[in-house]
Structures are given as structure tokens and as C-alpha cells.
Amino acid sequence: MDPAVLKRMEVFQGDITRMAVDAIVNAANPSLLGGGGVDGAIHRAAGPGLLAECRTLGGCPTGEARITGGYALTARHVIHTVGPVYSGKPSDALQLAACYENSLQLAAENHIRTIAFPAISCGVYGYPISEACPIAVDTVGRMLAEHPAIKKAAFVLFSNQALGVYRRYLENPD
Ligand code: ADP
């Protein structure tokens, strides 16, 4: 991967709802009507306006993305994407890559310069972090190379273990 693109990716440990970026990405479910995990945390932090806007969207299929306002969040926008439920089939990787790609496509269309991603599908949806990380980093790297207006993409990990997996991969990506 181009070192200049690699430098535009960062990793953090903590709560994505507190990130001071133009957009945070939500690992949503297909209803877009809220759930647990990072989705619940984002809706709690954004306030009821977010759910009201999500109700107007009519859901989101797996692999696609939708954009809303950020309401009470520091981030001006939330990009909601629906990751695959891990099944062990080759389609998992394609759908997970589509989440990162479609989120960044929406970001580019909406003049977003800084964006933060959680580990999509790696919670309730059961995707192993060691398999998801290279898909996330490689797809984001490819999209950043195509979209120079997106200056920074952050991966925000909740656990120490996930942080370690991302740090190691970013030091030595394929
Ligand atoms: P999914 O249903 O796509 O698996 P989850 O919300 O269950 O989504 O989990 C996705 C990842 O987000 C998990 O690795 C989980 O530990 C992490 N996570 C949960 N809450 C937060 C938060 N506030 N900030 C960042 N990451 C979070």
C-alpha cells in the first residue's frame, strides 16, 4: 500500500461517539431503527432526532450505506451501514468490503474530509476481528487513494485486543 495513503489512516481505542470528525460510521442493522452495541451508543449520544430521521429512510440492505445528520454528536453526519452476519462463506468478505466502500463513497459525495469507523460486524454479528481487519484496512486504503479529498480515516476499536490486531496490520499491510 502507498505509504502516503497509509498515513491517512489512524487507529484509536475508545468510544466512537466522542470522535471529533465530520462523520462517524454506525454498524447498524437493516431496519436502521436502533440496536445494541455501537448502534445503541450512537443513538444515545445523538439524541432522538437521529431515530426520527432514520425512520424516514426505510431501512438499508446489507452492504449498503445511508447518511443522516449527527444531531447532538460532535460529528456532523452519521453514515449507517449494515454489515454481514458472519457465516464463514466467501460472501461475508464481499459484503464487509462493500460496507467500507459504500460508506466512503457517500462520504466523498457529501464532502466529508474526516471519518471514523467502528469494527463493523465484529460484535453481535460475530465477524472475527483478525479476518475483518485486513478487509477494512485494504478497502479503506483503496478508497482513500481514489478520493484525495477525504483526508483522514480513523478506526476506533473498543477492545485492547482489536486495537492490537489493527496496529499490527497497519505496521505491515499486504
Ligand atoms: P455488529 O452488529 O455490526 O457486530 P456491534 O455494535 O455489536 O455491531 O459491534 C461492532 C464493534 O463495535 C464491536 O467490535 C464492538 O466492540 C464495538 N463497539 C461497541 N460500542 C462501541 C463504541 N461506543 N465505540 C466504538 N466501538 C464500539
Side-chain angles (χ1 to χ4, degrees):
M1 193 182 300
D2 178 353
V5 168
L6 207 51
K7 272 175 67 179
R8 288 156 62 202
M9 289 191 257
E10 296 178 324
V11 282
F12 295 95
Q13 186 174 17
D15 179 359
I16 198 168
T17 67
R18 306 180 74 89
M19 292 294 289
V21 287
D22 294 338
I24 63 172
V25 176
N26 181 17
N29 62 50
S31 74
L32 298 184
L33 299 181
V38 73
D39 194 354
I42 289 172
H43 277 275
R44 276 194 300 280
L50 180 60
L51 184 58
E53 185 175 356
C54 283
R55 283 191 203 286
T56 69
L57 298 178
C60 178
T62 302
E64 293 189 16
R66 302 286 184 268
I67 190 165
T68 66
Y71 300 88
L73 293 167
T74 309
R76 267 189 301 119
H77 298 282
V78 179
I79 293 175
H80 308 261
T81 189
V82 181
V85 176
Y86 187 72
S87 68
K89 295 185 191 140
S91 57
D92 294 343
L94 296 174
Q95 289 181 325
L96 188 63
C99 288
Y100 287 94
E101 183 170 332
N102 288 323
S103 294
L104 286 166
Q105 187 61 43
L106 266 183
E109 287 164 12
N110 286 274
H111 310 292
I112 284 159
R113 294 163 55 88
T114 55
I115 187 167
F117 286 94
I120 298 163
S121 285
C122 294
V124 173
Y125 282 1
Y127 217 116
I129 197 91
S130 56
E131 285 182 39
C133 167
I135 296 167
V137 170
D138 294 354
T139 307
V140 171
R142 188 167 46 74
M143 289 297 284
L144 290 181
E146 282 177 29
H147 297 283
I150 304 174
K151 297 295 172 202
K152 290 266 182 198
F155 297 103
V156 183
L157 291 322
F158 224 34
S159 73
N160 246 316
Q161 186 234 350
L163 181 74
V165 169
Y166 271 74
R167 280 212 171 127
R168 275 194 299 281
Y169 190 71
L170 282 164
E171 275 167 21
N172 198 5
D174 289 340

